[in-house]
Amino acid sequence: MTERARLAVVGAGPAGLAAAIAASARGVHVTVIDSGADAGGQFYRQPADDLGARRPQALHHQWHTWERLRDGLRAHIAAGRITHLRDHHVWLVQRHLNGFTVHALLGPEQERPAEVLADAVLLATGGHEKVLPFPGWTLPGVVTAGGAQAMLKGALVLPGRIAVVAGTGPLLLPVATGLAAAGLEVAALVESADPKAFLRHGRAFAAQPAKLAEGAQYAAALLRHRVRTYARHTVVEAHGGTAHGGTADGDTAHGGEVRGGQARGGEVRGGERLEAVTVAALDADGRVRPGTERRIACDTLAVGHGMLPHTDLAETLGCRLDGLDVRVDDEQRTDVAGVWAAGETTGIGGAALSLAEGHIAGRSIAARLAGTEPDPRGWAAAARSRTRLRRFFAAVDAAYAPPARWTELITDETVVCRCEEVTGGAIREAVDELGAGDVRTVKLLTRAGMGWCQGRMCAAAVAGLAGCALAPSRRPFARPVPLGVLARAGEATGEPEDD
Ligand SMILES: Cc1cc2nc3c(=O)[nH]c(=O)nc-3n(C[C@H](O)[C@H](O)[C@H](O)COP(=O)(O)OP(=O)(O)OC[C@H]3O[C@@H](n4cnc5c(N)ncnc54)[C@H](O)[C@@H]3O)c2cc1C
């Protein structure tokens, strides 16, 4: 299947939708390509239609913004100005003499190819969670914080009955309060950041009163749901057992209300499952303070240590990165002609920043495709909001931090690369005895990062153990691709222009 558009937008989250609507409103025919079954991205993840959610807004904040985006998208689709390709997993964007080919794989099996030809491309692929390993993190019942949120928002499923939410970052707040509001008992919120770090950035926080109000709402919700909060603490170990069993896929919540307490799906029998975590206080050096350990019973640990941008597609196009973020100019253009980027692929900064960047990108693209110079006065309000939010999230990024000595929690037996089952001991041996000093050399010596996820889960941990900074990965494709699809790629467009 081959589609033809003037603009291909990869990603139907806040950034991609804002850009698609802004460009389409200015006469550009847009094709939005997204791996999800519905538009919304991570922030506005929607429950599947057949679940019949009565009040999906109960699981969201800023619902009115979503209604505006959703209605705008529907209106442009109805008018034939936007095409929305769902369940399309983009594995490569190729540059040609006459534009671009976006290569995707269709459906849950991701085996059927689809191509979109376009004159310009906007990358709005968002970010993914960073999780740092610790003993027991691979037990059933340990999920990522965003994963727990996605189960709730997308499948109306609670991951268990009693949860600990842990790690670091602002995402832990909506996750803890969202799970508690849906009926799960949240036994503790464990945040490794030091509250004093927030005082150091007081001015940046004070400049965003709306964000402060949002923070106050989370604090009130934590109090209301009697969630105990441990700051400057970390999870030292997750413990498994077979005593109480557990549920494979948790309880269900419809329209934000928990439906009874009954479990769906089968019991996990025989195997180990999470039954408690040990948390401990951190000292000024970021080490666990001996004697402060406490055990908290739970069947779910929702854990996350911040977010990382998705940059695979930008990297293969040759776009320049700033650190781990796609570099863009004031119009959200990358340094590759015809390629724009917006939202968390250009740096982690929340949904409001993604919306502002997407809007600016859409207007810039519409003007450039029409062969005119865009007038930045048209997006002045969005640009002001972008400046304020970038400043705010730089302070957020500086204040939230995993424990400085987190690698000391990884024992030699702890599995670090889950796909290839490579342990902390094997990685330390590669570093200490075989001289590996970077993620790639560790990969060649141990296979860490060589599996299905291609290091997306373990690269940060491997870099920490190797004592090097996390660098862009330079994967040739954003997804695994069947050989047959690879062999036929480009038949619709001929040979690509670039290297
Ligand atoms: C798991 C998770 C949960 C989150 N939960 C919250 C929350 O509860 N509250 C909160 O304030 N913030 C949350 N965030 C952060 C918030 O989602 C972001 O700030 C916001 O959604 C960023 O918008 P975006 O448009 O840049 O990217 P996203 O909303 O992430 O949208 C990117 C879209 O691109 C698609 N995509 C990516 N790569 C490809 C590809 N190769 N092919 C096809 N499609 C692709 C994705 O499916 C997604 O729909 C969460 C983030 C994550 C990762």
Side-chain angles (χ1 to χ4, degrees):
M1 187 191 84
T2 305
E3 281 267 337
R4 172 87 223 175
R6 288 225 75 196
L7 168 64
V9 172
V10 186
L17 292 181
I21 291 168
S24 166
R26 286 159 185 81
V28 179
H29 180 254
V30 184
T31 298
V32 178
I33 309 143
D34 192 279
S35 51
D38 217 335
Q42 300 291 357
F43 191 77
Y44 292 116
R45 182 185 288 275
Q46 301 299 308
D49 287 344
D50 56 2
L51 290 172
R54 290 191 305 274
R55 289 189 303 117
Q57 64 270 38
L59 301 169
H60 287 269
H61 33 276
Q62 291 151 36
W63 185 255
H64 290 309
T65 310
W66 164 245
E67 286 179 321
R68 271 208 318 275
L69 282 176
R70 181 198 60 196
D71 295 348
L73 178 69
R74 283 180 184 164
H76 285 287
I77 290 174
R81 290 188 293 265
I82 295 184
T83 305
H84 176 197
L85 302 179
R86 306 152 191 260
D87 274 326
H88 279 60
H89 306 257
V90 177
W91 55 274
L92 182 70
V93 180
Q94 230 177 345
R95 193 154 52 109
H96 301 276
L97 280 174
N98 307 325
F100 300 88
T101 305
V102 179
H103 295 273
L105 294 164
L106 269 155
E109 279 86 32
Q110 298 183 35
E111 283 178 352
R112 277 182 301 133
E115 291 176 352
V116 176
L117 310 181
D119 300 325
V121 173
L122 170 76
L123 303 173
T125 46
H128 63 100
E129 282 181 283
K130 176 166 97 174
V131 180
L132 301 171
F134 50 86
W137 77 300
T138 54
L139 279 167
V142 181
V143 293
T144 66
Q149 181 79 295
M151 285 169 83
L152 187 58
K153 284 183 180 176
L156 306 179
V157 165
L158 291 177
R161 292 196 171 87
I162 307 175
V164 169
V165 178
T168 189
L171 181 58
L172 302 188
L173 293 169
V175 172
T177 53
L179 292 177
L184 197 125
E185 181 185 337
V186 179
L189 170 60
V190 183
E191 168 59 63
S192 58
D194 183 345
K196 285 205 261 340
F198 294 88
L199 298 178
R200 279 197 288 279
H201 301 280
R203 278 178 61 185
F205 292 125
Q208 282 291 307
K211 288 280 168 200
L212 287 183
E214 198 181 320
Q217 280 168 13
Y218 287 130
L222 290 173
L223 278 174
R224 203 165 53 246
H225 294 292
R226 296 168 201 266
V227 177
R228 292 200 63 172
T229 303
Y230 298 90
R232 257 180 75 193
H233 275 65
T234 191
V235 171
V236 176
E237 186 170 0
H239 309 281
T242 52
H244 62 71
T247 61
D249 55 1
D251 299 342
T252 58
H254 279 247
E257 302 144 18
V258 175
R259 221 204 232 166
Q262 78 274 34
R264 278 198 335 169
E267 296 264 313
V268 175
R269 293 183 203 282
E272 259 200 325
R273 199 183 192 288
L274 179 74
E275 62 175 29
V277 294
T278 296
V279 307
L282 296 162
D283 67 15
D285 293 330
R287 285 204 170 88
V288 165
R289 276 193 7 231
T292 62
E293 293 88 352
R294 70 179 73 213
R295 193 177 164 109
I296 303 174
C298 58
D299 61 12
T300 302
L301 171 62
V303 65
H305 297 97
M307 301 255 304
L308 296 167
H310 270 305
T311 56
D312 298 329
L313 298 174
E315 285 176 53
T316 37
L317 274 164
C319 302
R320 185 157 172 197
L321 303 193
D322 269 338
L324 298 172
D325 309 331
V326 179
R327 173 185 280 205
V328 286
D329 65 8
D330 285 350
E331 289 180 36
Q332 301 294 136
R333 287 180 300 179
T334 70
D335 65 343
V336 173
V339 180
W340 279 252
E344 295 204 316
T345 189
T346 70
I348 302 304
L353 178 56
S354 294
L355 283 170
E357 291 189 353
H359 180 76
I360 293 168
R363 293 183 73 134
S364 159
I365 293 165
R368 297 273 172 203
L369 283 178
T372 59
E373 188 74 20
D375 181 357
R377 285 175 302 185
W379 63 67
R384 278 196 300 278
S385 155
R386 179 178 64 182
T387 304
R388 279 199 306 269
L389 288 163
R390 280 186 182 162
R391 209 172 285 147
F392 175 81
F393 276 95
V396 166
D397 198 42
Y400 282 107
R405 309 284 181 158
W406 61 267
T407 53
E408 292 176 13
L409 297 175
I410 300 175
T411 64
D412 283 350
E413 293 73 37
T414 307
V415 170
V416 173
C417 167
R418 303 176 72 148
C419 303
E420 295 290 324
E421 299 189 345
V422 182
T423 61
I427 295 169
R428 287 196 176 103
E429 188 183 312
V431 173
D432 299 338
E433 291 170 31
L434 304 174
D438 60 81
V439 174
R440 189 176 155 72
T441 312
V442 172
K443 175 172 161 177
L444 294 175
L445 290 169
T446 66
R447 298 189 62 82
M450 233 180 245
W452 181 260
C453 90
Q454 288 289 291
R456 284 178 184 80
M457 280 296 276
C458 68
V462 173
L465 287 168
C468 65
L470 183 60
S473 50
R474 310 222 173 277
R475 300 176 187 102
F477 308 131
R479 311 265 158 153
V481 192
L483 271 176
V485 172
L486 199 55
R488 288 192 303 276
E491 278 174 4
T493 46
E495 285 304 303
E497 171 216 10
D498 60 1
D499 30 79

